[in-house]
């Protein structure tokens, strides 16, 4: 697929991913994300041919127009959609796979001044919620999700969900629909629910002396705890 075919596909991707789009005319005025990719595609093509100043100039102009900062050295696949787009930053050595959905205020940034790979790799079919920061030379695996405002500093395995600051990773994904970024596991809530149930069992046993019920409840709670630990990646 050549440069212009890729750009046309970027515009078609918006139609597939945004139910708020009612006509093609809106693309030219209401979707800075697609224009950010337009400027990136051109600057990246020049950058890949060894040009440096002109690609950075095009990138700077694109940033001024769209408020999206994509370094021309980054590698972005097909079918990527940057929704709302404002404040998105993608660093020089970042790699973004195909069909990735990125919301506003997302940063794919570095944590090192050394040369070489210092920005994240985001594999295909990943959803990155608004305000998320993915930092350093880490990998977000295929089909993973990153919750809004999460700060990811470690690898996220394929098909997992990362939420929190710093992000914790659950070995499951809650809702694979493109717009289901609001469906996330509440890791802290699950842990508190377990503790409250454990306390209730102890209080009941102290009051009644019913050891049989306590033993049965302990087995059930141990199963819940094991499942919880199994779901987590530390």
């Amino acid at each position: 697929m050549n440069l212009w075919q890729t750009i046309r596909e970027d515009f078609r991707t918006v139609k597939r991913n945004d139910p708020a789009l009612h006509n093609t005319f809106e693309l030219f005025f209401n979707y800075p994300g697609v224009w950010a990719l337009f400027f990136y595609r051109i600057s990246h093509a020049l950058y890949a041919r060894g040009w440096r100043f002109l690609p950075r100039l095009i990138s700077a102009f694109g940033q001024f127009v769209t408020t999206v900062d994509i370094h021309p050295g980054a590698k972005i696949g097909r079918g990527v959609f940057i929704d709302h787009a404002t404040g998105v930053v993608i660093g020089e050595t970042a790699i973004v796979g195909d069909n990735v959905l990125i919301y506003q205020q997302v940063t794919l940034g570095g944590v090192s001044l050394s040369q070489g790979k210092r920005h994240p790799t985001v594999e295909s079919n990943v959803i990155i919620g608004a305000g998320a920061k993915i930092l350093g030379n880490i990998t977000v695996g295929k089909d993973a999700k990153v919750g809004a405002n999460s700060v990811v500093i470690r690898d996220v395995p394929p098909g997992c969900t990362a939420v929190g600051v710093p992000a914790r990773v659950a070995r499951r994904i809650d809702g694979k629909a493109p717009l289901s970024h609001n469906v996330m596991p509440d890791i802290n809530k699950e842990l508190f629910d377990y503790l409250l149930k454990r306390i209730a069992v102890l209080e009941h046993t102290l009051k009644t002396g019913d050891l049989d019920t306590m033993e049965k409840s302990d087995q059930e709670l141990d199963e819940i705890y094991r499942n919880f630990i199994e779901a987590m990646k530390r």
Side-chain angles (χ1 to χ4, degrees), residues 11 28 46 100 114 116 120 123 125 130 144 146 154 160 186 232:
F11 280 83
F28 294 94
L46 296 172
V100 173
S114 62
E123 296 182 349
N125 304 313
V146 178
R154 296 180 181 176
C160 293
D186 190 334
M232 299 297 298

Side-chain angles (χ1 to χ4, degrees), residues 145-164:
K145 292 171 65 178
V146 178
N149 294 316
S150 298
V151 178
V152 184
I153 55 176
R154 296 180 181 176
D155 290 345
V156 179
C160 293
T161 302
V163 290

